[in-house]
Amino acid sequence: PATALLDDTCGWLVARGQSGSANSEGLQRALRGATDHACRTERAVAARARVVQWPTVQDYHTALRSIVDACRHTESRSMHGEPAPRFPTRYAFDDARAVVLLAHADWHSGSVPAIARAYATACSATDDVTLALCLDPAQGVSVADAMQMVRDATVAAGRGEHDGPDLILIPDFLDQQTLHRLYASAHIVVALRDASTGATARRAGCDVLTSLDPTRWRAAILRAESREQSHDMHTVPVTSGNPGFHAY
């Protein structure tokens, strides 16, 4: 059940109204609580305590994924009963380059370092490309540890500090709305052995990479660059100065 992950000590539970959408009064109460700094801090501490009680991180992820999958089959509606937009406002990739690749993977399985290595093998500092790596705090990996993993993977690909391709680390909680915004803003999504992620990315109009083969990465990037040029969509400025990665 959802309460195994979340209850009133670490979040705000909103009951359904008669129409099946969120109860208006309960939703307003939750919003008021979420904007109270002291209340939000107290529940964040309780949420963290709840997470670390799980035997392993994978157990927590499995339970969380089952709840998210169940929610995917429930039609989301606003308080006025209108369908929620499938892909809302675009995500602001600060200082991203012309082509954005997005990767949301498990940091504990070795997938992210493998993705970073494939990217650093396929691209260099001169490429007008940015790889955005999602670091969901629920995975329990610190920003410092994540950055070190990426550095090690870049070095393993034969890249140094000044010739490595551009990377962005996104340490946001990845609820469905945030994921939809990310998909709506990226050009290419890396989806290794994840059919649902690939399907969502394609619905958002993204190309999907399912391989770590650098030649396929180059081909996907070239396709994205060609589409950008043909549609005259170069609206994101290229970063200046030394390449690298940063966290929002």
Side-chain angles (χ1 to χ4, degrees):
T3 52
L5 296 174
L6 178 68
D7 61 19
D8 280 331
T9 67
C10 54
W12 293 267
L13 301 182
V14 181
R16 292 181 180 275
Q18 293 182 350
S19 66
S21 59
N23 177 274
S24 178
E25 182 179 348
L27 184 58
Q28 291 296 332
R29 185 168 56 252
L31 291 174
R32 286 194 297 271
T35 55
D36 183 297
H37 178 73
C39 183
R40 189 170 66 250
T41 299
E42 178 182 352
R43 297 198 186 197
V45 171
R48 174 63 180 169
R50 177 67 64 87
V51 170
V52 299
Q53 289 176 0
W54 286 77
T56 68
V57 172
Q58 187 57 50
D59 289 332
Y60 174 81
H61 288 166
T62 300
L64 181 61
R65 188 175 297 111
S66 67
I67 293 172
V68 171
D69 288 343
C71 290
R72 285 174 178 162
H73 299 293
T74 303
E75 187 175 11
S76 175
R77 294 181 179 274
S78 69
M79 289 190 299
H80 300 289
E82 294 299 324
R86 185 181 296 268
F87 296 105
T89 308
R90 293 172 64 87
Y91 191 92
F93 288 113
D94 293 342
D95 297 325
R97 299 190 175 189
V99 174
V100 175
L101 293 87
L102 176 68
H104 171 217
D106 186 354
W107 286 80
H108 298 278
S109 68
S111 296
V112 175
I115 289 169
R117 181 170 180 170
Y119 174 59
T121 302
C123 302
S124 69
T126 60
D127 289 298
D128 202 5
V129 179
T130 292
L131 172 63
L133 293 171
C134 297
L135 179 65
D136 190 336
Q139 294 202 36
V141 176
S142 70
V143 171
D145 287 345
M147 293 172 71
Q148 189 59 53
M149 288 185 204
V150 173
R151 287 194 187 98
D152 292 344
T154 301
V155 170
R159 300 293 185 190
E161 180 181 355
H162 300 292
D163 64 346
D166 190 58
L167 285 142
I168 291 176
L169 199 61
I170 305 175
D172 292 0
F173 282 102
L174 298 181
D175 56 28
Q176 287 302 298
Q177 184 179 36
T178 302
L179 281 172
H180 286 168
R181 291 178 62 200
L182 287 167
Y183 293 142
S185 307
H187 302 90
I188 302 167
V189 171
V190 183
L192 304 179
R193 299 181 298 278
D194 189 345
S196 63
T197 294
T200 302
R202 290 186 180 93
R203 287 198 300 270
C206 299
D207 200 352
V208 176
L209 273 170
T210 59
S211 168
L212 293 173
D213 182 351
T215 59
R216 296 192 179 185
W217 285 58
R218 289 300 310 173
I221 291 167
L222 288 173
R223 286 194 300 270
E225 289 176 338
S226 177
R227 287 195 298 269
E228 288 292 283
Q229 291 171 359
S230 64
H231 292 89
D232 193 27
M233 293 177 63
H234 290 283
T235 58
V236 181
V238 177
T239 52
S240 58
N242 291 331
F245 61 84
H246 45 283
Y248 290 146

